[in-house]
Structures are given as C-alpha cells and as structure tokens.
Amino acid sequence: MNELIDALMVLLVLMNLRLLGSSRLAACIRIVATEGIALGLLPLLLVWSQTSASSVEPGLSGRMIFLSVASVLTRGVLFPWLLLKAQRDAKVRREAEPFLSYPLSIIAGVLTLVLSFWLRSRLPPSFASGPPLLVPVALSTILVGLLVVVSRRLAISQVLGYIVMENGIYVLGLALVREIPALVEMGVLLDAFVAVFVMSIVTHHISRQFDHIDVDQMDSLKG
Amino acid sequence: MKVSYLLWAVLVLPAAAGGACLLLRSVRAALLWVVVAVGAASAVAAAAAWSVFTGGPIEAGAGWLYLDALSAYHLLLLHAVFLLSSIYAYSYFRREASFGAAQARRFGALWMGSLAAMALVLVSNNLGIVWVGVEATTLLTAFLICTHVSPSSLEATWKYLIMCSVGVAFAFIGTLLVAASAGSSHLATGDALLWTHLRAVAANLDPATLKMGFIFLLVGYGTKTGLVPMHNWLPDAHSQAPAPVSAVFSGFLLNTALYCILRYVPLVEIATKNSHWALDLLVGFGVLSILIAGAFIVFQHDAKRLLAYHSVEHMGIIALGVGLGGLGTFAAMFHVLNHSLCKSLGFCSAGRLGQMYGTHDIAQMAGSAHDAPVWGRGFLLSLLALIGLAPFAIFMSEFQILKAAADRSAFGIMTLFLAGTGVVFVGALRHAIGAAWDPPVRHPTPEHAGVVDRALVLVPLAILLVLGLWMPESLRLALNQAADVIRGLPQKGGF
C-alpha cells in the first residue's frame, strides 16, 4: 500500500508546482480542490497500509470514514464552489502580475522541496515512523502555501494559498500524531471551512467597494 | 450544584445568548440583551473562578474541560472586559444613526460568539480545542471590525484575517509537534493533546521536538498577541473597528493568544530542566516589542492607533515579565489586569471623543479636557495610567518587573526596558497633554454624559488607583496561584 501513498504524495508535489505556475484563477481553484480530494483519502490509505502490515492495529472505523467523507466534501466541493462564486462575482479571470514571476515561483517551489527533505534528515528520530515521504511533502506543501499567500496579489489567490497551507498541516498532522481525537479534527475542519467562507464574503465586499480584488492596492492604512 | 456544570455554563450561556440575539427586533433590545447576557455569564464565570481559587482546579467533560488558577484568573478578566465594553457598546452604538436593527442583531450574535470562543480557549484542556477556539475568535471578530463597511475597514479586516489565520496555522503545527514530543512518554494516544497529561509527564517529553514546537507556537500565537515583528495587523484592526470592539480586542483578545503561549511555558521549562530557554525567548520578543512600539508611539497622530501601539508595548511588557521569572511572573499577571482595565477605558474614551469630534486625529481633539469633561479627562487619565504614571497600578507592576530584572542582575534588559518605557512616557505624555489642554481646533458636539458613562470612566480609574496604592491579600494570593502555574510549581490552592 505504501506505493499508493507515495504516489499520492508525488501527485501533491506536482499539483503544488502546477499551482505555482498557473495564472488562471479557475484552474488554480480546481488544482486546490483536487489536492483536497486526494488528501481526504489519505487517512484511509494510511490505516489500510498499517492493517496489512500488522494485524494488531485496528482497521477502518466508521469514525475515520466519516471524517474522510467530511474532508473530501469540504475541501473538494465546498471550497471550490465558494471560491468560484467569489471569482464570478469579482469578474476576474487571471492573477495580475505576482511579485514573483511564474517561472521563479516554480523554482522556489522546487527549492521548498529540497529544503523540506533536508529538514526531514535533521529531525529527531521520533519522526522516522510511517511512510518516508509524508513529512517532507507536508513541509513543502506548507511552504508553497505560504509562498502563494505572500507572492500573489488577488484576494482569492491568497485564500488559495491559505488552503494549501492547511492541506500541508493536515498531512503533517497525520504523519506526527496518529490519533488526533475526532472532535479536534472536526473542529479544525470546521474552522478551515468557516475561514474560507468568511474570506470569500470579505472578498465579495472588497470587490463591491473597490471594483477590484487586488489587495496589494489596499494600502491606505500606514504607520 | 456540581461545580463542573459551571464550566459548561461558561461556554453554553454566551453561545445560546448569541443565537437568541438574532431574534430581537430593535437596536435597543439587541444591545440591552447583550448587556444582560454578558452580566449573567460574568456571574457564572465568577462563581467558577471562586471555586478554583478556594478549592483548586475543576475538571469536567471527561477531562476535556479544565480550569486552574491561570485560566480562572484570565476568565475573570475576560468577563470584566466584556461587561465594561458591552455597557459601553450600548451608549456608543445608540449614538450612531446609521446603526440599524440588522446590524445590531449581527453585532450581538458575533459579540456573544466571540465571548464564547474566548471562553472556550480558556476552559479547554485539550490543546487542539484551544487552537480551534483561537481560530474561531479570529473568524468571529473579523466581521466585528467591519461593522461599518468602508474601504479602510475592509482593508483592516482582510489584513487581520490573512495574517492571523496564517499565523495561527503555524500555532497548529506547534501543537502537533508538542503532541509528537510525547511519543516516547507512552501516553495513551488520545491523551497526547490534553494539557494536564502533558504537564504530568512533562519531564519525559522529548526536548528537541518540544522546543521546535514552542517556536512555532510563539510565532503563531505571537502573531495574534501582536508581538513585534508579527504585529502589522494590529494597529489597523484596532483603529478601524468600532470603539467597543477595539476595547475587547486590546483588552482581552490579545491576552487570549498570550495565554495560549503561557500554557506551554511550564511544559518546555520542565522538559528542558529549567534551562530558561523558553523564558529567554519571551524576554527577547518582549523587549523588541517594547522598543519598536515606543518608536511608533512617538510619531503617532491617530488616537486609536496610539492606543493600539500601546497594546503592542504592553504585550511586550507582559512577555518580558513572564520571561524574567520569579517576581516577574507575578508582576506580569498583575500587569495583565491593569492593562486590560486601562486599555478598555482608553478605547472607550477615544471612541466617544471620535464620535464627538468626527475624527480620531489627536491634534483635532485639542482642549478635550475642557470641552468633554468626562471622556476627555477619561482619555487623558487612561493615557497617563498607561505610560506608568504613579500612583496608578501600572506603575506598580512595571516597577515589580524592573525589580525582577534587578534580582536576576539582567542589567542590559533593565536598561532596554527603561529606555523603551521612557520613550513611550515622553512621547505619549506629549500627545495626552496636547489632546487635553491645547487651544481647541474644533468644536465637538455636546457630550451629554449620563451616570453610566461617568461610572464607566470612574470605576476602572478607581480600581487602578486603589490597586496602585494597596493590594488586597486575596488578589495577591490569586495572582500568585496563577503565576505558579506558569512557573511550573504545584498548585497550593485555597485562600
């Protein structure tokens, strides 16, 4: 089963790089949604691989399936729906010129991956358990999300960056803490959903007040 | 009645009241309902805190809810700040013609929701839920900033949302790392996030992982606390929000995030065998915040931004006090109380002056001590108290922090602290005197301050004055109990 998990991780890395390289908002939103669906399936794969490796570990529980479904629905359906709606409202198709050009962004994305593998080799041994790609890909995804938040100018792109960051943290959580209590996980998912919801409402207000959603141009408050 | 029910009531009461607020029809009803509901919640919180201070920590919900001296003390402050600000909100919004019933309903619901979320942060034992609570406060309060939708309030809201969401996401990484550091301590897996369990096995946590986690936590929750250099959102949000919201932001929202950092301090210190590693980090961030905020205060001309930078400074002072340890921890806890009271008063006064003068520019408010006897003097005195003028209580807590630095012979830190607060003193004094007694530039609308308005100014000032001169024995014990939690000492309990 580990091959499948590794394949999923590689898919995540490729998605991140595609996100860094594309300027069309609708495409970016779909990429992030695909990531979300892939990640929703990850906990199921993890449990499955453990069950086949040792017979001691408990198998799939209803709780896990429920969380997986909730995660796929939120990240794969609700988020893109909210964001595509916000994008239609604001009538923008493309990111303006980001602070970091697209080729440079992709190079930076590759660098985050190098950095993450290096970090992984420096971490204490307690991180060594579990599939080897999980931690570095998680770290790289978090960094890519951060990069998108700081380098893009449009409100929607920044929200996308935030979601990618959350995705990375989600993977990191699976890698570090096997059993996060379901209530906590639900809370985190709910928070992520409300965050995107609130951000898309504020985006709507911004596009109505300013006639654009280029948050870089909002710079009246200083000092 | 079992005391553990009180913990549930602290959460459920404000949440339910917030929902009910959506059904009210008029501005007046919604605002009054908020005052009544916050009053009731305060009574419950006081009862819970009393039980903690006299009888030791309370647990509820199979160990998921937990109230010890540190959180009980913060819970009391939270409700005090909310009560003051809710009463003030009634008189503030009633004066705004553009504030309609729909806005009032939304305000009430979000206001009570924020109270519930902050209470959730304080009474949760599960560090994951603590994080969920902090993120929830960000999302609930975001719309409070743009109660009046305008380009600049939207700009502030967006900055706040993105910076705090991303920052607080870092804190979640930190929380995960802390949970992972328990890996070798053979915790039952479900308990790895419970603070009481981590505290019990703190000596066996993996120091390297824990330290890494603490850095993430400090950066993450530090963003929301407004520690330099993660403070950029703070002056914008504080200045654009309506005054009652600013009062709550500055009076307690920042403390909520700081409280989360304080929770982890004893874990790290015990795991690293009292190496002062976490404490030194706090000292560093504290001193930096004081110095940078000082520089901005001198050149500030907007009353609310001035107060916002004071918040950065005072969060720095609290972090510094905790970082110094010993007497400093006690003084920091005392300072939390003083700052919250004083800052609520400051924002309330600045807000009403802003309504009367139609601007928050300090130069335009010249002569306010004469033209607006209640709020003008309230603003003046709150600024004087904030910069540490004796005999107000902030002078006492800052003096104790200085003494804590001297006890540790940390003279370099002492010098920086004195330099920072000195710059603030001179800079802010100039603003305060100018606003109070300079020849008037504008004629404000008349004040019409009622009994409640006067009480809102006088009560916090009286408390600050009394505490500066004399500290009741029960408060000293309560502060010491709270400080002992941070110092990692066992709870003695009982007054």
Side-chain angles (χ1 to χ4, degrees):
Chain A
M1 281 325 289
N2 271 334
E3 296 79 20
L4 209 53
I5 293 173
D6 286 351
L8 208 63
M9 290 296 105
V10 173
L11 179 76
L12 192 58
V13 170
L14 293 176
M15 287 289 183
N16 285 339
L17 294 180
R18 246 197 92 195
L19 176 72
L20 286 173
S22 57
S23 66
R24 282 186 54 237
L25 278 180
C28 289
I29 294 170
R30 287 203 188 92
I31 295 169
V32 174
T34 319
E35 273 190 14
I37 294 173
L39 292 186
L41 300 176
L42 186 62
L44 298 183
L45 285 180
L46 276 172
V47 172
W48 197 2
S49 76
Q50 280 155 16
T51 339
S52 53
S54 71
S55 51
V56 194
E57 296 268 347
L60 285 178
S61 60
R63 182 194 85 116
M64 293 216 72
I65 294 174
F66 170 73
L67 275 173
S68 241
V69 171
S71 175
V72 167
L73 282 182
T74 317
R75 288 166 210 266
V77 181
L78 276 176
F79 283 180
W81 178 70
L82 279 171
L83 290 173
L84 285 170
K85 198 157 113 42
Q87 185 224 350
R88 274 196 305 273
D89 278 353
K91 298 189 186 67
V92 274
R93 291 171 162 277
R94 284 176 183 281
E95 172 73 34
E97 318 139 34
F99 300 114
L100 206 59
S101 71
Y102 296 103
L104 277 181
S105 304
I106 295 183
I107 294 174
V110 174
L111 286 181
T112 64
L113 205 58
V114 175
L115 181 71
S116 307
F117 273 100
W118 177 76
L119 268 177
R120 167 70 163 73
S121 66
R122 308 271 303 174
L123 286 176
S126 56
F127 291 81
S129 61
L133 280 180
L134 233 48
V135 173
V137 170
L139 291 175
S140 149
T141 308
I142 293 169
L143 289 172
V144 166
L146 201 58
L147 187 68
V148 171
V149 173
V150 296
S151 73
R152 302 279 170 104
R153 312 165 78 117
L154 292 188
I156 293 180
S157 307
Q158 295 190 353
V159 180
L160 284 174
Y162 170 73
I163 298 175
V164 172
M165 235 186 113
E166 284 271 320
N167 286 350
I169 293 173
Y170 179 71
V171 180
L172 191 69
L174 288 173
L176 293 185
V177 189
R178 272 298 128 66
E179 286 277 297
I180 297 181
L183 194 61
V184 175
E185 215 161 320
M186 283 310 293
V188 173
L189 192 62
L190 186 71
D191 267 349
F193 165 66
V194 180
V196 173
F197 183 63
V198 168
M199 287 174 191
S200 59
I201 294 177
V202 178
T203 308
H204 174 74
H205 281 298
I206 291 176
S207 75
R208 282 220 322 221
Q209 281 274 334
F210 290 87
D211 266 335
H212 64 71
I213 53 169
D214 185 344
V215 282
D216 182 50
Q217 284 181 34
M218 306 199 302
D219 55 357
S220 65
L221 302 173
K222 283 199 190 88
Chain B
M1 192 175 78
K2 272 168 67 182
V3 280
S4 55
Y5 289 136
L6 289 175
L7 293 191
W8 288 109
V10 163
L11 294 176
V12 174
L13 193 71
C21 195
L22 292 171
L23 306 173
L24 297 171
R25 286 171 174 276
S26 70
V27 176
R28 192 157 176 270
L31 292 175
L32 268 181
W33 171 248
V34 165
V35 174
V36 173
V38 173
S42 305
V44 176
W50 175 255
S51 140
V52 168
F53 285 126
T54 50
I58 321 173
E59 266 193 21
W64 280 60
L65 300 185
Y66 176 72
L67 197 70
D68 63 6
L70 182 64
S71 40
Y73 174 62
H74 278 86
L75 194 69
L76 273 181
L77 274 182
L78 164 69
H79 284 86
V81 169
F82 257 91
L83 192 59
L84 268 178
S85 312
S86 305
I87 298 172
Y88 172 71
Y90 180 78
S91 79
Y92 180 87
F93 285 122
R94 295 273 285 156
R95 281 167 221 269
E96 302 220 329
S98 63
F99 193 73
Q103 262 179 315
R105 275 196 292 273
R106 204 184 62 176
F107 168 81
L110 289 171
W111 183 260
M112 298 309 295
S114 314
L115 176 61
M118 289 186 215
L120 178 67
V121 174
L122 297 179
V123 301
S124 288
N125 189 20
N126 188 306
L127 295 171
I129 297 291
V130 167
W131 181 88
V132 170
V134 173
E135 176 69 8
T137 61
T138 309
L139 303 171
L140 287 166
T141 50
F143 285 123
L144 287 176
I145 299 179
C146 58
T147 305
H148 304 293
V149 177
S150 73
S152 46
S153 77
L154 280 173
E155 181 186 339
T157 307
W158 185 259
K159 215 171 182 182
Y160 171 65
L161 257 180
I162 286 291
M163 278 198 72
C164 286
S165 297
V166 170
V168 171
F170 274 101
F172 193 67
I173 302 176
T175 310
L176 290 174
L177 286 168
V178 169
S181 76
S184 52
S185 317
H186 305 293
L187 283 173
T189 41
D191 295 341
L193 281 168
L194 293 186
W195 186 83
T196 39
H197 281 264
L198 287 168
R199 175 68 184 76
V201 299
N204 302 325
L205 298 177
D206 173 37
T209 317
L210 195 60
K211 278 182 176 179
M212 203 156 50
F214 188 72
I215 292 178
F216 277 104
L217 288 162
L218 194 56
V219 170
Y221 289 136
T223 308
K224 198 135 188 229
T225 311
L227 293 176
V228 174
M230 294 89 72
H231 69 288
N232 287 42
W233 63 272
L234 191 147
D236 296 349
H238 283 55
S239 62
Q240 293 309 312
V245 178
S246 319
V248 162
F249 263 59
S250 185
F252 208 78
L253 184 70
L254 308 179
N255 292 100
T256 313
L258 188 59
Y259 159 86
C260 300
I261 298 177
L262 298 184
R263 272 280 157 207
Y264 291 93
V265 170
L267 302 182
V268 181
E269 283 303 316
I270 293 173
T272 57
K273 307 198 169 43
N274 294 318
S275 63
H276 276 273
W277 180 84
L279 298 180
D280 287 344
L281 271 178
L282 282 176
V283 168
F285 274 105
V287 170
L288 189 67
S289 303
I290 297 171
L291 291 175
I292 302 287
F296 278 96
I297 283 170
V298 174
F299 300 106
Q300 202 46 250
H301 45 76
D302 180 297
K304 286 172 86 180
R305 289 183 84 86
L306 176 72
L307 290 170
Y309 278 109
H310 270 297
S311 299
V312 176
E313 182 216 353
H314 284 278
M315 288 302 125
I317 294 177
I318 296 166
L320 171 66
V322 172
L324 288 170
L327 176 65
T329 318
F330 172 85
M333 286 300 102
F334 187 30
H335 199 84
V336 171
L337 164 70
N338 300 337
H339 169 256
S340 293
L341 271 181
C342 195
K343 198 47 78 62
S344 310
L345 171 65
F347 270 112
C348 294
S349 311
R352 283 291 290 124
L353 288 180
Q355 281 181 329
M356 288 158 58
Y357 283 88
T359 171
H360 288 116
D361 191 336
I362 301 174
Q364 303 287 321
M365 291 179 185
S368 58
H370 178 260
D371 290 340
V374 175
W375 294 111
R377 287 179 199 164
F379 184 60
L380 170 71
L381 287 170
S382 71
L383 272 184
L384 293 183
L386 268 180
I387 59 180
L389 194 78
F392 289 111
I394 287 187
F395 170 76
M396 283 311 291
S397 46
E398 288 185 358
F399 183 73
Q400 286 167 347
I401 288 173
L402 209 56
K403 191 160 172 301
D407 287 348
R408 273 187 59 189
S409 344
F411 295 110
I413 293 165
M414 229 171 116
T415 318
L416 289 174
F417 175 54
L418 279 176
T421 45
V423 168
V424 169
F425 191 94
V426 177
L429 191 61
R430 195 170 52 93
H431 294 308
I433 291 175
W437 292 303
D438 270 1
V441 182
R442 290 189 182 206
H443 291 289
T445 53
E447 188 172 42
H448 301 306
V451 183
V452 178
D453 289 338
R454 281 166 207 274
L456 278 176
V457 174
L458 286 177
V459 171
L461 278 176
I463 296 175
L464 285 170
L465 194 62
V466 170
L467 289 182
L469 299 170
W470 166 74
M471 178 179 281
E473 188 59 16
S474 52
L475 177 64
R476 205 179 57 77
L477 285 172
L479 289 174
N480 247 329
Q481 285 185 27
D484 278 348
V485 175
I486 305 174
R487 291 174 185 141
L489 299 175
Q491 289 277 290
K492 285 191 278 289
F495 274 150

